[in-house]
Amino acid sequence: MTDWCRRTKGSWHSGLPGERKLLVGCAVDRCLKAREQIAAYALIVEAKDEAARRFYEHFGFRRLMDRDRTLYLPLGR
């Protein structure tokens, strides 16, 4: 698994929605490229709140069964 750490220290609600989409896209792209070198099979995120959880789910992230705000995105084979 690849754990994507948030690079900004501001609130989830700060910044433009387009910037958040771009950051998610860049993180997925980096993980897919890294997968060529390492055995990564999912991108893991920790949603700060329910709005963030819904944002990630919109892009296909799935909730872990035992942790409501921890989500993952399968990176394929």
Side-chain angles (χ1 to χ4, degrees):
M1 290 183 274
T2 302
D3 186 11
W4 178 49
C5 298
R6 184 174 314 214
R7 293 179 184 242
T8 59
K9 296 193 182 225
S11 161
W12 166 256
H13 301 287
S14 66
L16 300 173
E19 291 174 341
R20 292 190 297 261
K21 291 177 188 177
L22 181 62
L23 286 173
V24 170
C26 287
V28 171
D29 183 58
R30 286 179 181 225
C31 289
L32 290 173
K33 287 178 182 172
R35 192 180 61 160
E36 297 171 6
Q37 305 283 325
I38 61 173
Y41 60 90
L43 172 62
I44 307 293
V45 295
E46 291 286 334
K48 278 183 95 169
D49 56 27
E50 292 303 308
R53 182 187 55 76
R54 287 189 302 273
F55 172 83
Y56 287 120
E57 287 177 332
H58 174 77
F59 289 102
F61 283 79
R62 302 172 188 169
R63 287 187 233 179
L64 290 178
M65 293 183 82
D66 59 339
R67 299 183 70 184
D68 195 41
R69 290 194 181 162
T70 303
L71 298 98
Y72 70 98
L73 181 68
L75 295 176
R77 296 180 187 210

